[in-house]
Amino acid sequence: METTEINDGPAANIRKSRSPDFDMTIAFVGNPSVGKSAFFSRLTGVGVVVANYPGTTVELTHGSVNVGSKKLDIVDLPGIYSLGASTEDEKVAKRYLLHEYPDVIINVVDATRLERNLFLTLQLLELNIPMVVALNQMDAAKEMGIEIDIEKLSETLGVPVVPTIATKGVGLQEAVLVSIDENLSIKDRHRVLYDNHILRAIKTLDEDFPEIGYGIKVRALERDEEFVKLSCRPHDADLLLITSKSITDDIEKAHGMSISDTIVRDLYGEAGYIVDRVTTQVEHKVTFKEKIDSVLTSEYVGITGLVAALLLTFFVVFAVGGFLEEGIVSLFETFLISPAESLLAGSNPVLRNVIIYSLLGVEAGFAIAIPYIAVFYVILSLFEDSGYLTRASFLLDNWTHKVGLHGRAIIPLVLGMGCSVPAIMSTRTLNTVREKRIASVLIALTPCSARTVIIIGLVGTFVGYWAAISIYVLELVIIFATGWVLGKGLPGERTGLIMEMAPLRKPDRRATFQKTWLRVREFMYIAFPLLVAGSALLGLVDSLGVLDVFQNAVEPITVGIFGLPAFAATALVFGILRKEMALQILAVLAGTANFALVLTPLQMYSFAVITTIYIPCVATIAILKHELGWKDTTAISLFTITLALVIGALINMIGMNL
């Protein structure tokens, strides 16, 4: 790694590491839904790398671009509204900018929501990192009758401002060329005209800490300890925080409000002042998009449309995914699994089982990743890029509050009915680790398509339609009860939800398919190996006779508490590989697919409920581990197992007494 001293950064002790493979690092920063993804996609193409920021589950996307003789490392930071610390995304963006210290920031700003976006821009200007503002969605602003004086905005902010239309590729090259200009300076940048008390406080701090930057002193007054400690030497940071605290106490007494509220008020006031200077609102006719928007966000029609959209999403993912899964499984069975079984017929039983089970794991990976994850992420990208996702979140925000979540969690929860893997992957759109944990637990309890096979194929076929429906009702009660308890009792940061209603727009096809590819590729790289390894381990355990020992050991529970035949325990274990395999193995062990001959209606009902609730499949466990870590994955698995045992025992007890 090449290390260079930063003399004009937030603090003199900050050092920056850069890979010798790159000449510059450019960070894309902006609010959610400003077109940043489309900007990044058109600029970098498909040769990008997605990685979690160290110690977090928040993703950073890196791409490389050659401009002349320079090779640029482009980093797409998560969409944020400020450099505060209310969400995981904001924490990561702040840490990256202060710790990694990129050469240039390209601040992507939505021209249709300029005042709201400038709040973050004004904070970025105080970092003293060279910056270019990409004023995006200029075509949408024109449709809305918003005219912006680009030169005046650039002059006011003290940084270059480049008008862009990311979805059409307009202005992107110019923004990058401006950002690598060696004459790009941090001098003469706009400073917020804070309250007189704050300005006097900063002047006082200037006398004691002349080498520390202006923006750091503002954050110190705001009591942002992490910002100050990342920006200064430890000794200077401690002294600055102690000194600023005594000053802020006096300011808060004088104002009757917190210092952070005062600073936020001043930032919004400054943003509004700038917008008044540089924008002109001209008369325009209400566009068709605006009429559609008013319908989509209305209380009754909007909810009806959202329900229809969610049902359509579920249907498409389930129908297309199911069709593709069936074809993929058929191909694997015909050309790989069956030939392998024949080839290994006379080989060592342990080796045979490990290989066959590993191949079954590969089959499961392809049958999940391609059909369900890819189809789902195409739809999710369309929802995101069109602006409809924020409207869906807005409409259902009050309902999801009841289970400790915000409206944006509705997409993962609904998709859990198709496949748990993409549903849990999509919890990344949630703000905090607490929300991700709650959503992941609820998704783990949601009957996915594989569980539906068991409910319909076993209970629906041999017990009755209404009995199958009752399992879904029971699951719904369990999910809401679990969500309510977790929402009330789970510790962690609780945040409000700010949703910027960006204008409806046509999604960028290139960005849609690139995001889909990145997400599918991530599953293949991360979850796939764990899925295959878990399958091989299950094959090894089976070949060594451990499953038989297990079946005999748990027979008192299987037979005595659940009222199921002893072989049902083995079928439940195989359900960990793939849920529908529990039904397949049950038929093999029972010696018939006509379960009415060997199981009572109560036993079939109990088996289906237990299978639906207990520990998720290996693929889901793998993705849970990646998103939340082993500790949370183990806790979720143990919770679902315990819950399945309790519910199964209650069903048997109630059924026996009827």
Side-chain angles (χ1 to χ4, degrees), residues 117 126 260 268:
N117 282 231
E126 293 177 344
S260 60
Y268 272 119

Side-chain angles (χ1 to χ4, degrees), residues 315-337:
F315 173 77
V316 171
V317 171
F318 186 80
V320 177
F323 173 76
L324 292 175
E325 180 186 17
E326 184 178 345
I328 292 169
V329 169
S330 178
L331 288 173
F332 266 87
E333 292 292 336
T334 303
F335 297 104
L336 188 60
I337 306 298

Side-chain angles (χ1 to χ4, degrees), residues 136-190:
N136 197 32
Q137 301 190 40
M138 291 297 291
D139 53 343
K142 184 177 180 180
E143 287 181 6
M144 297 170 65
I146 301 173
E147 294 182 355
I148 301 174
D149 189 328
I150 304 297
E151 291 186 7
K152 185 179 287 188
L153 178 60
S154 177
E155 181 183 340
T156 302
L157 296 177
V159 296
V161 176
V162 181
T164 64
I165 305 174
T167 55
K168 299 178 181 178
V170 176
L172 306 191
Q173 183 177 1
E174 183 181 354
V176 174
L177 290 174
V178 172
S179 69
I180 65 174
D181 189 339
E182 295 179 357
N183 296 321
L184 192 62
S185 173
I186 60 171
K187 297 179 180 179
D188 302 321
R189 294 166 74 152
H190 182 80

Side-chain angles (χ1 to χ4, degrees), residues 30-32 53 55-59 77-96 116 120 123 224 226 406 408 427-436 492-499:
N31 288 186
Y53 192 75
T56 73
T57 59
V58 178
E59 290 181 341
L77 297 183
I80 59 173
Y81 289 104
S82 74
L83 291 180
S86 61
T87 70
E88 290 297 310
D89 287 347
E90 288 176 349
K91 291 176 183 177
V92 167
K94 179 169 66 176
R95 289 171 192 166
Y96 180 87
R116 178 69 188 87
L120 174 61
Q123 289 184 319
D224 189 339
E226 184 181 40
H406 285 302
R408 66 179 67 187
T427 60
R428 296 167 188 171
T429 61
L430 305 182
N431 282 344
T432 65
V433 173
R434 178 179 178 274
E435 289 182 55
K436 292 175 183 177
E493 192 171 11
R494 301 167 187 251
T495 64
L497 177 64
I498 300 175
M499 288 179 291

